[in-house]
């Protein structure tokens, strides 16, 4: 599922993480920024924590993956973080709800330290946002279908 979603903007795939956490996780391309196509010279970093749970179906039980936490980061061409959507309910931070970090200053406030509350953000909606608002060039012609974008939304 995530492989298909990510293929809209990168050929890189999620790789299972090593046992540095109590719960399983996967990250993109060795946990290094992956360059994205487009004039904005942005890169992407993704980390997704998950659980495998048993799910009851008509045929019996089957495993299903449940996202437990995430970090979706956009890195500028100069290597600094531009923004990051994060959710780490069991992390060491006081902020356990989904939130957004913005790189840089805004009206004298260091927004990289601020935790702007959000709802949960899916990988699909995050990548759709990058294509539509940050002019990242999609790699697939069917990206609208995969990422749930309306057919009449033009590609920037």
């Amino acid at each position: 599922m995530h492989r298909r979603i990510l293929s809209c903007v990168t050929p890189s795939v999620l790789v299972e993480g090593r046992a540095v956490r109590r719960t399983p996780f996967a990250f993109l391309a060795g946990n290094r920024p992956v360059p994205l196509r487009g004039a904005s010279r942005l890169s992407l970093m993704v980390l997704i924590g998950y659980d495998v749970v048993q799910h009851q179906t008509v045929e019996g039980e089957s495993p299903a993956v449940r996202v437990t936490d995430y970090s979706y980061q956009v890195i500028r061409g100069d290597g600094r973080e531009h923004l990051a959507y994060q959710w780490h309910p069991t992390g060491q931070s006081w902020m356990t709800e989904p939130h957004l970090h913005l790189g840089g200053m805004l009206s004298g406030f260091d927004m990289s330290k601020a935790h702007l509350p959000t709802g949960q953000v899916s990988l699909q909606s995050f990548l759709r946002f990058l294509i539509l608002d940050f002019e990242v060039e999609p790699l697939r012609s069917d990206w609208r279908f995969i990422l749930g974008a309306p057919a009449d939304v033009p590609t920037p």
Side-chain angles (χ1 to χ4, degrees):
M1 170 76 133
H2 286 115
R3 179 180 298 229
R4 186 168 178 232
I5 293 167
L6 283 164
S7 73
C8 292
V9 297
T10 180
S12 296
V13 297
L14 291 172
V15 177
E16 188 175 341
R18 292 193 167 86
V20 295
R21 299 169 18 146
R22 289 183 294 184
T23 59
F25 70 100
F27 54 85
L28 193 61
N31 207 24
R32 288 186 299 276
V34 173
L36 299 171
R37 284 193 193 169
S40 56
R41 294 188 40 221
L42 298 174
S43 295
L44 173 68
M45 292 182 70
V46 172
L47 182 137
I48 299 175
Y50 63 92
D51 279 335
V52 178
V53 295
Q54 291 302 315
H55 168 55
Q56 190 66 37
T57 65
V58 175
E59 294 84 27
E61 287 191 359
S62 70
V65 175
R66 180 178 62 94
V67 173
T68 60
D69 58 287
Y70 58 79
S71 177
Y72 312 137
Q73 294 175 276
V74 177
I75 309 298
R76 296 180 187 145
D78 62 7
R80 292 183 298 150
E81 183 179 273
H82 189 51
L83 62 86
Y85 285 94
Q86 297 180 344
W87 176 44
H88 39 78
T90 60
Q92 295 180 351
S93 171
W94 65 268
M95 177 54 116
T96 58
E97 299 170 6
H99 58 278
L100 170 66
H101 292 280
L102 297 174
M105 302 292 284
L106 181 64
S107 299
F109 292 99
D110 182 359
M111 297 306 289
S112 65
K113 305 286 188 230
H115 297 82
L116 303 166
T118 66
Q120 287 192 17
V121 176
S122 69
L123 185 57
Q124 283 173 294
S125 61
F126 174 68
L127 297 181
R128 185 175 61 232
F129 157 71
L130 292 182
I131 292 170
L132 295 175
D133 294 324
F134 280 12
E135 300 179 358
V136 167
E137 293 178 19
L139 301 182
R140 298 177 62 129
S141 60
D142 61 349
W143 70 269
R144 286 177 187 82
F145 174 75
I146 294 170
L147 301 180
D152 60 346
V153 173
T155 302

